[in-house]
Amino acid sequence: MAEVEETIKRIQAHKGVIGIIVVNNEGIPIRTTLDNATTVQYSGLVHQLTAKAKSVVRDIDPQNDLTFLRLRSVKHEIMVAPDKDYFLIVVQESE
Amino acid sequence: MSVKRLRRDFGAPVQFSDRSVTDAKDGYVECVSFEDKTFDLRKIEIDTGVQAVPDLSEAGTQTEWKHPRNANTQYYPREFEEQQKEEIQKETQFKTFVTNVTPRFELALQQNEIMDVFYDDWMNLAGQDGSFGGKADSHLKEYQSFTDLQFSKDKTITCIDWHPTVKGIVAVSVAEKLSFDSRVDQSAKIVMKPSLLLIWSFTDPIHPQLLLEAPDDIYCFKFSPTDPNIVAGGCLNGQLVLWDISQYEERLKNPKAGAKKKNPGQAVFEDEAPETPIMRYCAVSGIENSHKSAITDLLWIPDHMELNRMGIPQENRTLQSVQIMTCATDNCILVWDTRPPKGTQHEEKGTMKNPMGVPTTFKYLDLNWKPHLKVQLHKSEPGGDHSPTKFSIQEKQGDRNVLSTLGDASTHKDPAASSGGGGGGFNFAKPGSGREKRTLSNVKTVMFAGGEDGEILYVDWMPQKDQDSNKLMTPKPEFYSTLHDGPVNTAQRSPFFKDIILFVGGWTFSIWKEGVNTGPILMSSASPKRLTCGQWSPSRPGVFYISLEDGSIDVWDVLDRTHEPSINQSVSSASITCIFPYQVTGKQHLLAVGDSTGTLHILEIPWSLRTPTNSELTGVTSYFDREVKRRSFVKARWDFREQEKRQLEADAKMKAGIAPNVTLSEEEVLMKMKQEYLQYVEEESAFLRHLGLKDDIDEPLPEV
């Protein structure tokens, strides 16, 4: 439990990181450092996008799988790492 | 068919065999076909009709019409309870997940921190050093030069203005170059010669396209920015003059069409100059109400605002420039309105005689034009008031930000007001009529002015109630500084920064920022020749041109070096009186230079001087910020020095024994007095000894 905390804190400490969300495979947020409304919005939207991206990768090559997704916009960068049961979403400010 | 047999063979099997036809005679019977008459019908002609008819069939369907109906759903996200979350987080699966996934994030975040992946190197490579290419590339090339032998010889050019809409038309005002005394001496001769404003087109460098006549020499003029057929000029005697050149609009637009009128068959013995039309002014201000001395600067107030009698800037509904601001050396700045005052009649138009064919656009103004606002520039100390030579206000023509901040969408609505013919709204938009005009509170009513004695003023043009006399007068200038050693001949705001102003006067120039009153941001060293005019470049934020008395032009680049000009180029042998850079097209920027022999030179600005380098705007902005900081640092330092000096002085005085401010206590006073007395006694004995009056006190000899 403590290592999880520590890891999350470490990621949070990077320059420009706005927030971290851990989501289960149905899109329900489990752990977050942002406020509720934003968390819920991010988790719902990103979850759908990740599922789509994963299906793209697997359609092209069924033995491949999605490991990391980076979405960069003018203001922010959203990074998602999907796994079997959970997702981890990190939002960072763009330069 | 019948078969004959012997009776005893009846019923017995029969055996048939084949026999060829030719074996027996009459072995076959022929049955030949023949035409049976009963069936003979001779068909001669048959009349048949054929018709193609589409199959008509009727079918029908019925669609269900779905009428739109409002429906909505409301949802809320699925969330876990706190407890559930806690439970999930305790699972080992969760921990393994986090541990597995973290390195990917670390990689990504580190990458982001190290460098920006999307930075376009190629785009940012160019333009880093924009000054490649030798001096020849940054040379101002002479493009054309205009002189008129008849009208502009031996005269000096006083002002240049480019036509706002038609490319290739530039207007120049010429005046006699005589001092006041010689003017008075030759006044009889001067009255005979007309004072002119020449309009040149690039297609014809020898003959001007149009001449505008004025009552006296014009010292400054401007085309109206919204209606280029109206030209306003300020005269030597203080009058303000208006011309309406709509008659010649066509001629200006197609200059070649009217210029060449030679008959092909006729031999041309002498150069017959095509007639240059001369146009008289159509309105001039009343002499009693004008300035008392020569008008030195003139400005059309930008079309989005207008000033009322109280100096309050109000929104201009017609979006046409209708007001003019002028300044003269008689210590005041006047604001004039070109619209008819309330209550004038227009019916006399038809009956009025129109000698000389002057357009009657401004007939209502002629000879009785009065300014509606007067700004007096008083000096705080006695000794005359400030006499302005140039001024500059913050609002720029075409910049309608102030209107948009008012937040009203009905500024576009202007139906009949400005759709008039030639005069465009001057005839029927009365000032102050119709709906209430909104006050523009975002407009700063302060302006900068440069004076005849080289001073720079910052004054508010709105008159306020003076405490002593309870009259409405202009407040004293907020701040002024006498910096230049000659009359200020240019006060111009930078086209890129609203609060940076360039002043040129005497032998120096300075750049000021509005709001920083302690001193100029940049002040040049005294140049060997007098500076006659300065202008910012319209395309590069850090470049400006300064013209000198010896006929050369200095190009200064603030980012290149600030102790001397980047480029110096000689343009003419006579002193330059006026310069005006202008962007004629996107690729061609021209600099119009007028000199004191009446020649107008047009120079082409090379690529290196008209294209800004990358991030030049940010560079110049940061340069000005640094200078402002330097200014405040200098001021703080000065204060500190002052304090230090005072401290040192006080210390020195203390050491010398004089204590000016310190009050000593009684004891100290006594001690001091005693010391003084002892000193005095010593001096007295020394003096007496010197005189020989005092016997030396014999010291008792030591016992032997």
Side-chain angles (χ1 to χ4, degrees):
Chain A
M1 186 56 191
E3 311 125 23
V4 169
E5 287 287 341
E6 205 197 287
T7 318
I8 291 185
K9 274 208 185 61
R10 213 170 60 221
I11 298 181
Q12 180 84 18
H14 271 264
K15 186 176 99 156
V17 170
I18 300 175
I20 304 179
I21 307 172
V22 181
V23 181
N24 81 342
N25 52 7
E26 287 177 344
I28 308 176
I30 296 179
R31 180 75 199 274
T32 173
T33 60
L34 299 167
D35 58 290
N36 203 19
T38 326
T39 305
V40 152
Q41 196 176 25
Y42 264 106
S43 50
L45 296 167
V46 170
H47 168 252
Q48 293 173 33
L49 180 67
T50 320
K52 192 72 177 178
K54 194 165 185 165
S55 79
V56 165
V57 171
R58 296 199 65 161
D59 262 352
I60 293 174
D61 180 6
Q63 277 154 357
N64 206 354
D65 198 4
L66 180 68
T67 48
F68 201 65
L69 181 64
R70 261 165 111 169
L71 187 64
R72 204 172 156 124
S73 75
V74 171
K75 295 185 194 168
H76 305 123
E77 179 163 352
I78 303 173
M79 291 177 258
V80 189
D83 197 59
K84 195 160 54 96
D85 304 317
Y86 306 97
F87 293 37
L88 182 65
I89 306 172
V90 172
V91 181
Q92 191 192 27
E93 246 171 33
S94 292
E95 271 92 59
Chain B
M1 210 165 67
S2 70
V3 177
K4 279 190 205 154
R5 286 180 94 176
L6 297 173
R7 188 144 197 288
R8 67 169 168 216
D9 285 332
F10 274 21
V14 183
Q15 203 168 15
F16 289 113
S17 62
D18 286 331
R19 184 186 70 175
S20 160
V21 165
T22 47
D23 282 352
K25 195 168 145 215
D26 287 335
Y28 65 98
V29 174
E30 236 183 310
C31 196
V32 191
S33 64
F34 62 98
E35 280 185 68
D36 194 348
K37 292 272 177 200
T38 44
F39 297 103
D40 195 7
L41 250 182
R42 265 197 32 199
K43 297 177 193 165
I44 305 172
E45 220 173 81
I46 300 184
D47 203 350
T48 1
V50 172
Q51 183 175 12
V53 172
D55 244 357
L56 249 187
S57 65
E58 242 184 66
T61 53
Q62 175 79 0
T63 55
E64 264 179 54
W65 178 59
K66 294 190 170 68
H67 50 270
R69 214 179 349 151
N70 282 339
N72 49 33
T73 50
Q74 185 164 7
Y75 63 94
Y76 57 89
R78 274 187 304 171
E79 282 177 327
F80 281 139
E81 301 289 314
E82 274 298 321
Q83 220 185 12
Q84 279 175 308
K85 287 191 199 173
E86 293 282 322
E87 273 175 50
I88 293 175
Q89 286 183 39
K90 287 206 180 87
E91 290 170 25
T92 33
Q93 265 185 332
F94 188 76
K95 290 184 200 154
T96 32
F97 158 70
V98 173
T99 347
N100 284 344
V101 145
T102 311
R104 305 180 206 168
F105 277 101
E106 310 249 293
L107 179 70
L109 287 167
Q110 272 173 4
Q111 267 181 357
N112 277 350
E113 232 168 301
I114 294 172
M115 63 168 276
D116 182 10
V117 197
F118 297 104
Y119 179 71
D120 192 349
D121 291 318
W122 175 248
M123 285 299 293
N124 294 322
L125 184 65
Q128 282 301 340
D129 54 5
S131 55
F132 63 92
K135 271 227 163 192
D137 277 354
S138 36
H139 192 75
L140 291 163
K141 284 189 276 269
E142 173 112 6
Y143 184 78
Q144 211 162 27
S145 129
F146 298 101
T147 322
D148 186 283
L149 298 162
Q150 205 180 0
F151 297 116
S152 66
K153 198 159 179 224
D154 287 342
K155 294 207 195 180
T156 161
I157 293 188
T158 46
C159 189
I160 302 177
D161 196 19
W162 292 81
H163 197 281
T165 44
V166 179
K167 296 197 200 320
I169 301 281
V170 60
V172 151
S173 65
V174 291
E176 300 282 342
K177 47 177 181 184
L178 299 164
S179 70
F180 183 67
D181 294 325
S182 29
R183 211 178 261 274
V184 165
D185 291 337
Q186 300 183 20
S187 54
K189 194 164 74 163
I190 287 174
V191 163
M192 298 308 292
K193 282 197 232 161
S195 321
L196 295 167
L197 203 141
L198 289 85
I199 300 189
W200 295 94
S201 155
F202 278 17
T203 50
D204 193 352
I206 308 177
H207 307 290
Q209 293 301 115
L210 188 57
L211 299 171
L212 300 176
E213 196 189 323
D216 210 344
D217 282 341
I218 305 260
Y219 268 84
C220 58
F221 74 96
K222 283 242 165 34
F223 281 95
S224 158
T226 43
D227 185 3
N229 289 330
I230 311 284
V231 184
C235 285
L236 182 61
N237 58 5
Q239 282 180 313
L240 187 59
V241 187
L242 277 178
W243 290 273
D244 182 352
I245 54 175
S246 356
Q247 278 179 353
Y248 298 99
E249 195 179 339
E250 271 311 305
R251 194 196 153 95
L252 285 182
K253 281 195 186 141
N254 315 322
K256 266 210 176 114
K260 303 209 168 102
K261 289 193 283 185
K262 294 188 189 140
N263 291 334
Q266 202 179 33
V268 181
F269 289 112
E270 337 159 356
D271 247 353
E272 286 211 358
E275 286 285 322
T276 314
I278 296 190
M279 227 190 107
R280 203 174 166 272
Y281 52 89
C282 69
V284 71
S285 62
I287 295 205
E288 319 83 48
N289 303 321
S290 323
H291 286 284
K292 310 279 180 294
S293 64
I295 294 186
T296 47
D297 198 12
L298 185 147
L299 175 73
W300 284 89
I301 292 197
D303 58 5
H304 57 266
M305 65 184 233
E306 59 179 59
L307 304 179
N308 67 356
R309 273 173 199 284
M310 306 306 292
I312 299 175
Q314 285 180 332
E315 179 199 354
N316 184 346
R317 296 244 153 198
T318 61
L319 291 180
Q320 297 243 344
S321 282
V322 289
Q323 295 189 332
I324 304 174
M325 200 183 231
T326 58
C327 83
T329 44
D330 61 351
N331 316 323
C332 61
I333 294 182
L334 301 174
V335 179
W336 311 72
D337 198 309
T338 51
R339 288 170 299 190
K342 284 186 201 171
T344 41
Q345 311 293 331
H346 290 295
E347 292 100 47
E348 334 153 18
K349 247 199 210 166
T351 53
M352 221 187 247
K353 272 185 265 191
N354 198 358
M356 295 183 262
V358 167
T360 51
T361 332
F362 293 111
K363 206 69 192 163
Y364 49 85
L365 289 176
D366 200 10
L367 289 176
N368 54 7
W369 199 7
K370 272 205 303 217
H372 67 270
L373 175 61
K374 184 166 174 172
V375 177
Q376 280 272 19
L377 296 174
H378 299 291
K379 222 184 208 174
S380 338
E381 305 123 19
D385 296 331
H386 298 287
S387 38
T389 46
K390 290 278 169 192
F391 66 93
S392 147
I393 59 176
Q394 201 176 52
E395 291 301 306
K396 208 165 57 161
Q397 167 63 28
D399 175 16
R400 310 240 172 108
N401 283 341
V402 187
L403 280 182
S404 57
T405 50
L406 269 181
D408 193 33
S410 66
T411 48
H412 299 291
K413 170 174 162 248
D414 241 333
S418 55
S419 54
F426 289 111
N427 289 330
F428 27 80
K430 297 206 181 81
S433 70
R435 44 182 65 210
E436 283 298 310
K437 290 200 230 304
R438 285 164 309 158
T439 315
L440 297 170
S441 44
N442 294 340
V443 170
K444 286 178 96 155
T445 55
V446 251
M447 63 182 174
F448 271 95
E452 210 179 10
D453 302 323
E455 72 246 10
I456 295 171
L457 319 167
Y458 189 57
V459 66
D460 189 342
W461 73 61
M462 270 182 24
Q464 289 162 10
K465 261 204 156 50
D466 188 35
Q467 271 120 354
D468 303 329
S469 55
N470 228 24
K471 270 194 305 188
L472 279 173
M473 9 189 292
T474 330
K476 301 230 165 42
E478 281 181 28
F479 134 81
Y480 75 93
S481 126
T482 318
L483 200 60
H484 291 278
D485 19 300
V488 170
N489 53 45
T490 305
Q492 199 205 9
R493 279 181 203 253
S494 163
F496 294 89
F497 300 103
K498 260 172 104 159
D499 49 1
I500 303 278
I501 302 143
L502 171 71
F503 286 97
V504 175
W507 281 267
T508 56
F509 70 84
S510 59
I511 299 182
W512 290 72
K513 187 175 163 101
E514 196 160 344
V516 175
N517 291 346
T518 55
I521 294 186
L522 173 70
M523 174 133 182
S524 80
S525 54
S527 90
K529 290 272 168 193
R530 277 185 99 111
L531 308 176
T532 48
C533 190
Q535 288 276 329
W536 290 95
S537 157
S539 54
R540 288 191 66 182
V543 171
F544 52 92
Y545 305 96
I546 304 266
S547 61
L548 299 163
E549 204 183 24
D550 62 355
S552 63
I553 295 205
D554 282 346
V555 179
W556 289 73
D557 186 353
V558 146
L559 291 176
D560 188 15
R561 47 197 130 132
T562 51
H563 62 282
E564 58 169 19
S566 309
I567 302 166
N568 176 303
Q569 184 176 342
S570 174
V571 170
S572 115
S573 51
S575 142
I576 295 183
T577 48
C578 192
I579 64 177
F580 200 138
Y582 192 64
Q583 289 173 302
V584 174
T585 58
K587 290 232 156 66
Q588 197 183 40
H589 291 197
L590 298 176
L591 180 66
V593 176
D595 65 15
S596 59
T597 56
T599 313
L600 176 68
H601 305 265
I602 309 276
L603 305 166
E604 185 169 352
I605 301 180
W607 181 88
S608 58
L609 282 180
R610 65 166 184 259
T611 325
T613 56
N614 258 10
S615 69
E616 179 163 345
L617 191 60
T618 41
V620 176
T621 325
S622 52
Y623 168 76
F624 285 133
D625 289 335
R626 280 202 310 271
E627 291 296 319
V628 170
K629 283 201 199 107
R630 174 191 75 95
R631 232 17 269 166
S632 50
F633 170 73
V634 164
K635 179 146 197 305
R637 204 72 201 155
W638 275 350
D639 290 338
F640 180 65
R641 283 271 163 79
E642 270 290 320
Q643 268 189 338
E644 228 185 17
K645 203 162 102 175
R646 251 180 254 148
Q647 194 71 23
L648 279 172
E649 253 177 56
D651 286 338
K653 281 189 186 160
M654 285 275 270
K655 285 193 187 134
I658 318 164
N661 302 333
V662 183
T663 47
L664 305 159
S665 64
E666 278 239 6
E667 271 193 25
E668 283 177 24
V669 169
L670 271 170
M671 271 291 292
K672 246 199 153 150
M673 285 174 80
K674 197 166 181 183
Q675 277 208 354
E676 278 179 23
Y677 178 64
L678 283 173
Q679 222 181 0
Y680 167 69
V681 162
E682 263 196 53
E683 276 183 27
E684 194 189 31
S685 53
F687 179 60
L688 285 174
R689 210 176 292 137
H690 187 74
L691 282 177
L693 292 174
K694 192 160 186 180
D695 298 319
D696 280 325
I697 301 168
D698 286 324
E699 288 181 3
L701 292 165
E703 296 281 339
V704 174

